[in-house]
Each structure stands twice: as C-alpha cells, then as structure tokens.
Amino acid sequence: MKFSLSPLLLLALLTACAHAPQTPDAAPAAAAGPVRPTLPGPVEPVLPEVALTDRLLYEFLLGDFAAQRGRPELAAQVYLDLARTTRDPRVARRAAQLTFEAHQYASSLEAFRLWQQLEPDSPLAKQMLVSLLLSGGKLAEARPHVTELLASDPQGVGHMFINLYGLLARVADKGAVLDWLVEVAQPYPKVAEAHWAVAQAASAANQPAQALAEAQQAASLRPEWDLAAMLLAQLTQRTRPEQAAALLAAHLEKYPAQQNVRLFRARMLLEQKQYVAAREEFMRLLQQRPGNAEIAFAIAMVSLQLGELQRAEEELRAALAGTSGKKDEDTLHFYLGQLSEARQDEASALIHYRQIREGERHYDAQLRMAYLLHKQGQAAQARTVLQQVLPGNDAQRVQLLLIEAQFLRDDAHYAESFKVLNQGLAKFPAQPELLYRTALAADKLKQYDTFERLIRRLIEVEPDNAHAYNALGYGWLERNVRIAEAMELVQKAHALLPDDAAILDSVGWGYFRLNDLARSIDFLRRAFAANPDPEIAAHLGEVLWVKGERAEAQAVWRASAQAHPDNETLQAVIRKFLP
C-alpha cells in the first residue's frame, strides 16, 4: 500500500525536532505539514546488548548495499527484520526511514511503532508516529499520542493544531475527522488555531453553520491573524458575498501590510465581477510589491475586461519600465503580445514575442509567432519558426509536428502535411494524437487502407477513444460502404460521448444511409444545435431536401454559407441540389 506524507516528514527523520514560529502572513495552503513540537532535550536511549554475529553482520551489509544500489524495498525489509531481532532503537529508526522511503505503509507503521516503543522519550519518534497514524486515518490510535504532544508544549499548541489539520485533510471520512478534532480541541477553548482547524474540518464535512461559528471564534481570539480572517471571509462568501468582501476590507483597514489578505480580497472581488474595486485592490498590492509582473498583468487584464484597452497597455508598459530582471521582462513582453492580439494588433504582438529569446515564456511565444505569421499568409516563415523551436520534452515535439502539419493542411498541401505526420509517427509510433491526425490525412488523400490501419492501431492504444470509432465508421458512411459495420462503430462512439456534435452528425448520417430519415433529422438537428458547423449544415440540409422539406433545407444552407462562404463541403452540396 502506497501512502503520501509531507516531504518535511522525511527531512525530520534526519534533523532535530524544533518548533517553527508561525508566519503571520502565511497563505491558507500553508496549513499542511507535520506536527513539530518543542520538547525537552533528547534522553539517551537504553541500548540492548546484542552480539554482532556473522548473520547480523551479513544482514546489515545486505541492507546497506540494497539501499545504495537502488533497491529500497529490499533495504527496508532487511532493516525491519533487524529491528525486530535486535530491538535496537537506532536500527528501528533506520528501518522507519527506509520503509517510509519505500512507500510501504504497513511496514513503516510497524517500524515507527517499534521505534517509539524502544525510545519512548524521543519526541521525533512520537511525532512521526502521529503523522503516520493520522495520514492513514487511524484516528483512535493517534489520539492519546496527539493529546500528549499538545500537553507537552503549551507554547506550540497553536502551530500544532494548524499542522494537525494539514494531516487530517487527507483522511477520507470527513465526519470522523470533525468529531475527532472537536474532542481533541475541547481543552483549548482560548486557542484560535484550534477553532480554525475545527472550522476547516466542519467545512470539509459539509457543516457550514458549525464551520462559520468556529471561524468567527478564531477571528475573535486573534483578530490580527490573516488565516482566520481569510477563512471567515471564505465561509461567509458562500451565502453573503458582499459581506465577505466587507469583512476583508475592515481587516485591511487595521492591518494594511497583510498582502495575502489583500490578494485574497482582490480575487474575491473578481469572482463577484466587481472589476473596478478589484483593480483598486490589485493596485494597492502592486505598491507593496513594486515591479511584480503577475500583479501588473492582473491590473491590465481587469482594465481589458472593462474595455479600457489603452489603459491596459499603459499599465503593462509601466510595469515593463520598472522590471528588475530578464524574467519579468519576458513575462511582460508575453503579456503585451497577448494584449496586442486581443486588440487585433498582430504586428505589435509579433514585436513583443520576438523580444523573448529564452526562458519559460520562449516556447509559447514562438508558437504564437508561428500562428500569427501563418495567419498573415507567411507560411514559409511560420514553418521556419516552428522548425527552429527547441522543444523541452516529447509532448512539445509532438505538438510542433501537429501544428506544422495543420498549417500545411490549412494551405491545402495535403501530401506534404501527410509526410510531416508520417515522419513524426516514425519517432512516436504509439502517440494517440499523431495516429489520429495521420489517419485523417491518409483519408484526405484517399489512402483508405492506410487510414483504416492507423485508426485500428489507435483503437489498440486507446480502446475507449470515441473519436477513433467515429472516424472509422464515418469514413465508411461517407463512402457508402459497409454501412452496418459503420453504424456499429458510430453508435459505440455515441455511447462513449453521447453529446459530441461530430459523433451525433455521424449517427445521423448513418441513419440517412439506412433511409431512416426521421431519425437522421433528429440526430442532425441535435448535432447542429450543439455546433453549427458547415459540414453538419450540409448533411442536415441534404436530408431535409430528400425528405421534401426543401424550404428549410435552403434556409439552413443559406445561413451557414453566409457564415462560412469558403467551406468546400457545404458549397458542393449546394451545387448538387441547387445547380
């Protein structure tokens, strides 16, 4: 059984146990982590008298070699056996570490129990056992240990309650967690963090009234505490959003330096679509964090939402002038490029994207450059940009191939697009999207055997890929062959994705091939309502025409042709019936 604990727990195995002071401006997510109490200095454990026999020496060497050679499971089992045999607390401690690293929950729990038993005065052994028990949902067994830890460190009780909830948040039975935490917190009515933890547990257990009452208690006991203020506002927002924002505003009047609270309020105002007020809050935050590109962009995006394009650009340019490093400059150039695209100023967007020559934004900027160049009819330059991009992983390599192939397809270079896709498939023969796109390219070139072979390979790779079944079935329907098999395929696709417009269109077209015009029109209407695609319009109009509803057929074609005047499929159908 695998289990998941905070990475800090592993570190704690190798370091001294010390109380970490609480950060007053910490974000709510900071609640996760191990219990770290301040306890009296360690007492030397009583060590057993065990003779180092040849057998024991062999097992010690085996365990260490296994750990060094990348065999954590074997090392963990060997040391656990040694701990059972020797009952030496040092060996038990090593066994606990190794079983933890090997993600062996049951063995790790046994090792920690044994370590705590052999070294009862070790605060670290007790702390780690508690963490493991809570993460595994063993609340009853953990309770006496937690009670002892809390009582042993009155000054660190608040911090321990925050960390306790971080561990309890992983337990599936939220009602049991709430009941357990209420009992554990009962001796600490004046500890704000105890009420905060209970409030979190009550919220997770869908007890909103209890959660709100506990959050109010926490905020009353520690009115300056940012986590309590944000939790109270978050719970209040569910039923009284305007009051929640007002609570945070009042808190910031008293404690204006708390940046996380200000950011929390700004985001809350955005959710409530109070854009002007949100922008004011972001601007105050930017004064506290001058030169922060993310906040500057948030301000600009709010201005954009308000239709103030010029102001948005000025705000980003002002942020760019105040940047302190290349990373922020790249981020702001990327955002300015995005803003220029939103304003349909593609020339300015290209200028900004070209400024980004490295870093985490470089890849996305290159893709945007290629897209804009292709859109402007500079197909060769767009492909050159794509071919010069240095991908960071296989996913990006596949994405670049797909984009280049799509550019070629858009320009009606179908054979060359197929060639690019095949080159990609040679490198990534089981990549689903490459298989699908290459199959469609083969179908476009009327290489039907290749099309079918690739689609069937895709179905082997992804047996529940609805679009693969739909593509094969629709291909047969379009060529008016193997109609019964084709209907089985598109109906299977429909069962997997019942609301997909393209699949609804295929089923409707299949019923047309079977001369069931009523069912055909029903499916095609549903498809067209979900996505007024010109090819769906072509099918719907054709079936309506054949059924005798010619006025409606012409109306469907006419409206779609106005929106998509260059669609070849639609124009071909119109010419067929309205020469």
Side-chain angles (χ1 to χ4, degrees), residues 366 369-370 373 378-389 404 407:
Q366 295 296 102
M369 282 176 58
L373 288 168
Q378 302 180 56
Q381 294 91 325
R383 289 188 66 193
T384 298
V385 169
L386 287 177
Q387 291 166 358
Q388 291 177 347
V389 174
E404 184 178 2
F407 284 173

Side-chain angles (χ1 to χ4, degrees), residues 204-225:
N206 197 27
Q207 299 294 328
Q210 184 178 2
L212 186 61
E214 293 289 344
Q216 288 169 338
Q217 276 284 89
S220 175
L221 288 166
R222 283 189 61 189
E224 81 290 350
W225 189 26

Side-chain angles (χ1 to χ4, degrees), residues 351-364:
I351 290 172
H352 287 297
Y353 292 143
R354 286 191 176 106
Q355 299 294 317
I356 305 170
R357 302 185 182 277
E358 58 186 23
E360 60 186 24
R361 297 288 181 182
H362 181 256
Y363 178 80
D364 291 334

Side-chain angles (χ1 to χ4, degrees), residues 304-431:
L304 185 62
Q305 180 68 38
L306 292 168
E308 301 175 13
L309 303 186
Q310 185 62 37
R311 173 170 176 165
E313 183 174 359
E314 290 172 358
E315 287 162 344
L316 281 177
R317 289 189 181 279
L320 183 61
T323 53
S324 58
K326 175 64 177 174
K327 182 178 179 180
D328 285 343
E329 288 180 20
D330 286 345
T331 299
L332 287 166
H333 275 301
F334 185 80
Y335 290 155
L336 279 164
Q338 297 275 280
L339 182 57
S340 296
E341 285 196 65
R343 296 178 60 184
Q344 299 183 348
D345 185 353
E346 295 173 0
S348 293
L350 283 168
I351 290 172
H352 287 297
Y353 292 143
R354 286 191 176 106
Q355 299 294 317
I356 305 170
R357 302 185 182 277
E358 58 186 23
E360 60 186 24
R361 297 288 181 182
H362 181 256
Y363 178 80
D364 291 334
Q366 295 296 102
L367 295 193
R368 296 312 304 163
M369 282 176 58
Y371 168 78
L372 292 174
L373 288 168
H374 184 262
K375 184 180 177 183
Q376 293 175 357
Q378 302 180 56
Q381 294 91 325
R383 289 188 66 193
T384 298
V385 169
L386 287 177
Q387 291 166 358
Q388 291 177 347
V389 174
L390 296 176
N393 50 53
D394 285 347
Q396 291 183 353
R397 291 181 181 89
V398 171
Q399 184 181 28
L400 290 168
L401 287 165
L402 292 172
I403 294 172
E404 184 178 2
Q406 186 61 48
F407 284 173
L408 290 165
R409 180 184 175 87
D410 292 343
D411 295 334
H413 300 314
Y414 302 118
E416 197 169 353
S417 176
F418 182 54
K419 180 180 178 181
V420 168
L421 289 168
N422 265 310
Q423 290 171 348
L425 207 54
K427 298 176 182 176
F428 306 101
Q431 210 286 330

